[in-house]
Amino acid sequence: MKHIIILGDGMADHPVERLGGKTLLQYANKPYMDMLAKMGKTGRLVTVPDGFHPGSEVANSSIMGYDQNEVYEGRGPLEAASIGYEMSPNDFALRCNIINVNDGIIITHNGGNLETEDADVLIKYLNEKLASQYPGIVKFITGIQYRHLLIIKGGNKYVDCAPPHDHPNEEWKPLLVKPMENVDAALLAAHDKDANGKAIDPLADEYRMSAQQTADLLNELILKSQEILENHPFNVARKERGERMANIIWPWGGGYRPHMLTLSQMYPQIKRGSVISAVDLIRGIGHYAGLRNIIVEGATGLADTNYEGKAQAAIDALKEGDDFVYVHVEASDEAGHDGNLELKIKTIENLDRRLIKPIYDEVSKWDEPVCIAILPDHPTPVEIRTHVKEPVPFIIYYPGIAPDEVEKYDEVSCVRGSYGLLQLQDFMNAFMAIK
């Protein structure tokens, strides 16, 4: 039995009055998801453990079977792995958005849908004009679109950084970086190890700067970046055209290099696997999980992504010997963060028609059965525009499965699913137990 997980990032939602009190999954035209729900078994899954923020790094790695208390290090290290930056033991890696602020307010977390080519110019400019003020300590690395990487040599991860997508239309200065309070260095030392597995004290002077020093440095970089970016010709031209500028950096999700087992070590039935995503974060999880990263031309992380290309890449991977494929589509999450109801519905329908349909239509012809799971990682409600920590609905289907009574795939119907409410790693354990 081969296994494929199809994940619509942020696809789950809340009832919306404009839709007659339905959720977007209830309202959308998604015949293949509904068909698989009727033919398979459903349930709901808690993807975010207590004490963790409902970020995609937490939810996706939990879905893959990882215990966050053992592996969590934030987004930065995962995205570093994705773009090929090999972290040293003394690196503190942060996700670094280029965002748009106006009149002291966060307007958008994505810099006005910044393209990678334009962002690369800005990142190089930041290295020239800003990182150069801190030689050997600060480095910016280009990622994809608005998602980039900031490396602080000797930085301390025990700082509180607000994810920008959680704070649209809010004042940004009160959200500047703060050191975490009441951090017990002895306790933390027991959980942190260097590259050789030796326990370290991350707050020790000889190893890292203090949390306060790290917060002060990050805030200094944020404030200086605004003047530097707003005066760059790219943003000057955008402002003259009345467009949103990519005018300030926003670092968050920082951590050290994680220590993770591969999925093959955790699930011996996975001899070879792949991850398909346009998002550095998911590729980074895949890297540490021992999965091949398959890059699909035209995959953008937005609503205009290449659904068909991802579907074909997944089919080809399974045909060519992969036992496990993780297909991640970011589009619904981005539409949710933008508060765009119509677009989010369209992304759900595109996932169904342009990705799930061709995958199912192909693998249903094969002699070797393929077990298919469909789910989001977390809800991103369009009327809230941020992630929420709530259970998500899921489907598991394979030829010969005894279906439950659920006939539709949505947040309400799946409450009655025969899997009930699963917790964290229970999903992957149940999924991989199907042989």
Side-chain angles (χ1 to χ4, degrees), residues 266-309:
M266 296 167 64
Y267 305 98
Q269 59 268 50
I270 300 178
K271 302 294 189 297
R272 193 177 96 162
S274 298
V275 62
I276 300 169
S277 177
V279 177
D280 281 345
L281 161 68
I282 307 301
R283 294 175 182 172
I285 296 173
H287 172 82
Y288 285 116
L291 304 176
R292 294 185 303 133
N293 269 295
I294 299 176
I295 307 302
V296 175
E297 185 177 356
T300 65
L302 300 172
D304 64 352
T305 197
N306 183 359
Y307 292 92
E308 291 83 0

Side-chain angles (χ1 to χ4, degrees), residues 42-44 393-394 406 408-417 420:
T42 65
R44 294 185 303 151
F394 69 85
V406 175
K408 297 283 186 180
Y409 174 65
D410 56 64
E411 302 86 347
V412 177
S413 298
C414 290
V415 171
R416 298 182 288 108

